[in-house]
Amino acid sequence: FCVVGEKHLIPEQFTTMYESVVASGSARIVEDEDERRQALRLIVEKYASRHVEEGLKAIERSLHRTAVIAIKVHTLTGKSKQY
């Protein structure tokens, strides 16, 4: 998979500033309910840290219909172009 971070066009120089990471590995569907709940909790804590209580309630409401995929990364490469 690939993740692209900050990017910024520089039209007057006909180029782009960017940063990206490409990873490969093996993926598995997480079947264990407690493991899925913990993974979703970590996501809430990272991206909605001011709303953890509401996030935990949302997890409980949606856990039965939410898939979680664990990825074991085997290789990871990154690059960037900065000015």
Side-chain angles (χ1 to χ4, degrees):
F1 61 93
C2 177
V3 177
V4 177
E6 283 292 317
K7 56 192 178 305
H8 179 70
L9 294 174
I10 307 172
E12 66 277 7
Q13 294 181 15
F14 306 101
T15 193
T16 303
M17 291 182 4
Y18 64 88
E19 55 189 20
S20 67
V21 175
V22 177
S24 66
S26 55
R28 68 177 175 86
I29 296 174
V30 177
E31 302 287 348
D32 181 74
E33 191 172 280
D34 290 334
E35 188 179 357
R36 288 187 3 246
R37 186 180 284 113
Q38 177 61 20
L40 294 169
R41 179 187 183 102
L42 291 171
I43 292 170
V44 167
E45 289 173 354
K46 180 170 183 167
Y47 293 106
S49 61
R50 294 183 181 174
H51 308 283
V52 172
E53 186 175 324
E54 298 93 330
L56 296 178
K57 291 176 185 175
I59 289 169
E60 292 307 316
R61 285 192 308 270
S62 301
L63 189 63
H64 69 282
R65 63 176 178 243
T66 303
V68 173
I69 300 171
I71 301 171
K72 182 177 181 180
V73 176
H74 299 295
T75 63
L76 185 66
T77 61
K79 64 181 182 174
S80 68
K81 183 177 183 182
Q82 304 293 323
Y83 283 92

